[in-house]
Each structure stands twice: as structure tokens, then as C-alpha cells.
Amino acid sequence: ACGAGGFLIHTLNHVDENIISKKYKSDAKSRKLNYASNKLFGLDYDRRLVKVTKAMMLIAGDGKTNTFKVNTLDHREWSNREDNLEEKIKENNFNVVLTNPPFAGSHDEPEILGRYDLTFKDDKTKNKRVKKMRKDMLFIEKCIRLVKPGGRIAIVLPQGNLNNPTSEFLRNFIFENCRLLACVGLKENTFRPFTPTKTSVVLLQKWKSNKEKTNDYKIFMADSERPGKDNSGNYIYLKDKEGNYINEKKEIIDTLKTPRVVDHDLDQIIEEFNKFKNKENINFNE
């Protein structure tokens, strides 16, 4: 569910600025192109958004955009394609999966549901396969399948998946397959005007082996209190008491020269998560 490619573009820029440009100054441009062409992949069912992603990635410095128009959850669309999608997107093969999947809609086709263990709701030996399941739930299993052991997932989920009694089977599935690294609650306005759904960002790491599985670990929990948007979905910018636009240092800025700063607290949450990660000796580079 790569949409217009925001995750892909920010990933490319992050790797370029923090690794490639610093380590490979003489041939940074070619290495950036090689990284983008061989390490970044995007899937989405919306043909228009896929075209937007391809265009945006080309502008960002990707000469061979691996973005595919396909229903990620329906494997029937993966086969007999000219672009060899099945060879390029394999399960247990990715280091990181980032996604903000659709919250609305369900799948009731037996051909789709038959490929997902979640549809048995915890116990294959006792439960029959359900006749319908929400897309956001199926996306969780698909993401877990895509990452390799030790791989990470960052996914935006409806809050109900995390606290509704009827979703306990989903949480059990997550704990069985992954370590829950973090859960960050977002305010209702975060995704306005598109949706007012209360959501959370969930960070997971797939267990490397059955021997590694444990229930004895700490989880980073946080609640965002400043979403940076109002009830209409308009951005809220940092201002002082007199109504002047300011930056993070509380300095008045000239908006004709300097972009306004959105009033949100996600950077603080990221900073706290990094402290937690270091304290708990969580190393993603092993």
C-alpha cells in the first residue's frame, strides 16, 4: 500500500544523506541510483498512485522504479506477469516493510482467505476459516511473511486492533511471530481530512527463530498529544503568544524566507524511542 511513494522517497533520501553521501563521496550518485534500483520496492492496487510514485521516485534519483500495480493481498494477480513480480517480491526476503494500509473494506473471496493463517482466528484444529476478514488484518500477516527473520515492520493500524476483545486473535498472532518493539498512539486528526479513525503506529521485529521467542521484554509505548492538524485537517503551525510564527527554538521566523514549522510532537517521540532502543540494547544492524 505504497500510495504516492512517501515512504520510498523518504527512505531513499535518508539512506543517501546519512550513509551513501558520507561514505562514498566520489561515486555517491551512482551508488544512490544502484541502491534505489535494487533495494526499494513498492506495491499498490491504485494504478494512478503507482504512476505518481514512479514519477516521484524518478525525480528523487531512481532510474529503475520497482513499483508495481497489484492487489498485494490477492496472489492471483501476482502470476503470469511480464514484470516478473513473483521473482522480485518474495516472502522472507525483505529487511524492512513500511506501510499505511487501507482501513476500510474486507475480503470474502475463498481464494484470497485460503492463503492466510489469520483467518482461522488462533486455532486451525478447532476453528473453521472465517468467511470474511478486514484488509488491515490481512496486511499484518502479509507484512510478516515478506520480512526475513529479524526483519522489521512499521505499520499504521486502527486502534481497535490493539484493544478490542474481538481482535485478541490478531494480537496473539503478532506476538507469536514478532517482538513488539513499540506502539505509538496517534490523535484522531492525524490523517484528516482523509479519515478521522483513531490509529497507532506499530513497530515489530520478526523473531529470528523459535528459540529466540520470549514474553519477557519491555515495549516502548507513547501517545502523541499534538498531531499538527485541526479538526478540518488543516496544519497547525508553531506560534508564540503574540501570534508570530516561530521555529523549534522559539525564534520568530520570516515565513517568506523560512517554511513554517508544524506543531507536532512526533520528533520528541522518536527521540525517546531511540533512547529506549539504546537502553534495551536493541540493535538493528546485527
Side-chain angles (χ1 to χ4, degrees):
C2 70
F7 286 143
L8 293 170
I9 293 167
H10 282 283
T11 298
L12 176 58
N13 291 337
H14 175 82
V15 172
D16 179 38
E17 293 171 7
N18 293 279
I19 301 175
I20 297 175
S21 294
K22 292 181 179 180
K23 192 174 182 179
Y24 308 102
K25 295 182 180 180
S26 60
D27 61 341
K29 187 174 181 179
S30 62
R31 286 184 176 271
K32 177 183 178 182
L33 179 63
N34 181 66
Y35 171 78
S37 300
N38 297 291
K39 300 296 184 180
L40 298 180
F41 297 82
L43 307 173
D44 203 282
Y45 74 96
D46 189 311
R47 189 179 302 278
R48 180 181 60 85
L49 289 176
V50 169
K51 289 182 178 179
V52 171
T53 297
K54 286 178 178 286
M56 296 298 290
M57 287 295 287
L58 284 170
I59 294 171
D62 176 8
K64 181 188 172 186
T65 304
N66 291 305
T67 307
F68 305 93
K69 192 277 176 190
V70 67
N71 182 342
T72 302
L73 300 175
D74 187 353
H75 209 77
R76 293 172 298 179
E77 293 189 13
W78 288 54
S79 57
N80 301 318
R81 296 169 59 109
E82 293 181 358
D83 55 22
N84 296 319
L85 176 61
E86 284 187 304
E87 289 299 313
K88 295 177 179 178
I89 310 291
K90 293 182 178 180
E91 294 183 354
N92 295 303
N93 196 45
F94 288 86
N95 297 93
V96 179
V97 171
L98 308 174
T99 185
N100 182 3
F103 304 148
S106 302
H107 276 304
D108 58 5
E109 304 95 319
E111 295 84 358
I112 294 178
L113 299 178
R115 298 185 68 89
Y116 293 92
D117 296 331
L118 264 175
T119 56
F120 285 104
K121 290 192 172 183
D122 270 344
D123 195 337
K124 284 186 177 182
T125 61
K126 297 180 180 179
N127 301 333
K128 292 183 178 180
R129 193 184 297 278
V130 298
K131 296 182 179 180
K132 180 187 291 188
M133 181 161 283
R134 295 205 319 267
K135 292 178 181 178
D136 55 279
M137 292 185 171
L138 295 176
F139 260 100
I140 294 174
E141 180 169 345
K142 185 64 178 180
C143 290
I144 292 174
R145 290 187 177 197
L146 284 172
V147 293
K148 61 179 64 173
R152 289 166 286 149
I153 299 165
I155 185 170
V156 181
L157 295 174
Q159 187 71 47
N161 283 344
L162 307 176
N163 53 27
N164 287 347
T166 55
S167 300
E168 183 180 3
F169 74 95
L170 177 66
R171 297 189 289 274
N172 291 338
F173 183 85
I174 290 174
F175 286 127
E176 176 65 22
N177 290 277
C178 300
R179 172 176 178 171
L180 177 57
L181 298 171
C183 182
V184 179
L186 303 178
K187 300 290 281 186
E188 290 85 348
N189 292 346
T190 302
F191 293 107
R192 287 184 188 271
F194 306 106
T195 176
T197 303
K198 173 70 174 171
T199 60
S200 293
V201 177
V202 178
L203 306 183
L204 306 170
Q205 185 169 27
K206 191 172 182 178
W207 295 118
K208 293 180 181 179
S209 64
N210 287 330
K211 291 182 179 179
E212 187 190 45
K213 290 182 183 179
T214 177
N215 292 321
D216 185 17
Y217 61 86
K218 293 182 179 180
I219 301 168
F220 178 83
M221 310 288 281
D223 258 322
S224 172
E225 297 178 346
R226 304 193 335 264
K229 287 184 179 181
D230 60 21
N231 291 336
S232 298
N234 300 312
Y235 284 108
I236 300 172
Y237 298 100
L238 286 176
K239 293 182 180 180
D240 60 18
K241 294 180 180 179
E242 286 72 38
N244 300 304
Y245 290 106
I246 58 176
N247 59 21
E248 294 93 336
K249 297 180 181 179
K250 298 183 179 181
E251 301 167 336
I252 296 176
I253 60 175
D254 182 350
T255 56
L256 296 177
K257 299 178 181 179
T258 306
R260 293 173 295 178
V261 179
V262 177
D263 184 11
H264 69 84
D265 55 8
L266 296 180
D267 288 337
Q268 294 170 262
I269 292 175
I270 292 171
E271 185 178 338
E272 291 301 318
F273 174 71
N274 284 329
K275 292 179 183 177
F276 167 84
K277 181 167 63 74
N278 294 333
K279 184 178 180 181
E280 295 300 313
N281 295 317
I282 299 172
N283 186 1
F284 298 138
N285 298 318
E286 293 179 349

